[in-house]
Amino acid sequence: MSEVATNPAAALSPEDAQALAEATAKAMYARDNATQSLGIKIHEVRPGYARLSMLVRSDMLNGHSSCHGGFIFALADSAFAFSCNSRNQTTVASACNIEYLAPGAVNDVLTAEAIEQALAGRTGVYDITVSNQHGKRIALFRGKSYRIRGDVIAGLDATLLSRAPAAS
């Protein structure tokens, strides 16, 4: 089976693929109450890629006065979700793990950069690096994805996205 048969987005022009990634991220974010409630912001999405950030608030600190690992995991997991769903194909996590390298402090701005490492059939592998505003690596996260039925934006004709007039 060809890549186009298993991944229709593979047939898109680079412009259409980018427009699809952006539209998918916008639609997902609008429904993602967890990501929004943590104050996570999307800075960039591309097919198989996402970069998000989160300000570490005082209510995110653990008993050691550092950012609770669950919040760091949530930031990395959100970057993973936006990168692996960037082709408008509904994709979920099948496994993930994280290695904590350094603590996050209150008022740190943590950035998670998700990069697709492999995509074959219904599965993918993504590496996410979480760093603070000084470039210090805080965590390394690896996510494995599984594509299920459906699209993030049902009925979307991705070939029309890059030709649509910009919204004002």
Side-chain angles (χ1 to χ4, degrees):
M1 193 176 268
S2 74
E3 182 182 4
V4 173
T6 60
N7 180 10
L12 297 177
S13 71
E15 295 80 14
D16 286 335
Q18 180 61 34
L20 180 61
E22 292 171 6
T24 301
K26 184 177 179 181
M28 279 182 56
Y29 189 81
R31 303 188 298 244
D32 190 340
N33 295 328
T35 295
Q36 289 180 44
S37 73
L38 294 175
I40 294 173
K41 297 177 182 174
I42 300 171
H43 295 282
E44 184 179 1
V45 292
R46 300 189 304 260
Y49 176 90
R51 185 170 45 86
L52 284 63
S53 71
M54 175 184 78
L55 173 68
V56 177
R57 306 181 312 234
S58 62
D59 63 339
M60 296 174 169
L61 301 181
N62 62 22
H64 300 296
S65 298
S66 62
C67 186
H68 190 289
F71 292 110
I72 296 169
F73 188 99
L75 171 62
D77 190 41
S78 288
F80 170 44
F82 283 96
S83 63
C84 69
N85 282 278
S86 61
R87 293 176 179 88
N88 194 37
Q89 296 175 311
T90 303
T91 306
V92 296
S94 64
C96 358
N97 60 53
I98 193 164
E99 304 290 331
Y100 297 102
L101 307 175
V106 70
N107 296 322
D108 272 354
V109 175
L110 302 182
T111 299
E113 183 179 44
I115 300 172
E116 184 176 83
Q117 300 299 319
L119 183 63
R122 297 171 80 90
T123 62
V125 177
Y126 297 77
D127 286 333
I128 297 86
T129 302
V130 179
S131 303
N132 69 12
Q133 68 276 13
H134 306 294
K136 182 173 185 172
R137 289 189 309 171
I138 302 299
L140 300 173
F141 177 109
R142 173 162 274 191
K144 297 177 184 175
S145 68
Y146 185 77
R147 186 169 36 89
I148 60 175
R149 286 195 177 123
D151 297 325
V152 175
I153 307 170
L156 179 68
D157 183 351
T159 62
L160 300 177
L161 283 172
S162 68
R163 295 183 246 325
S168 49

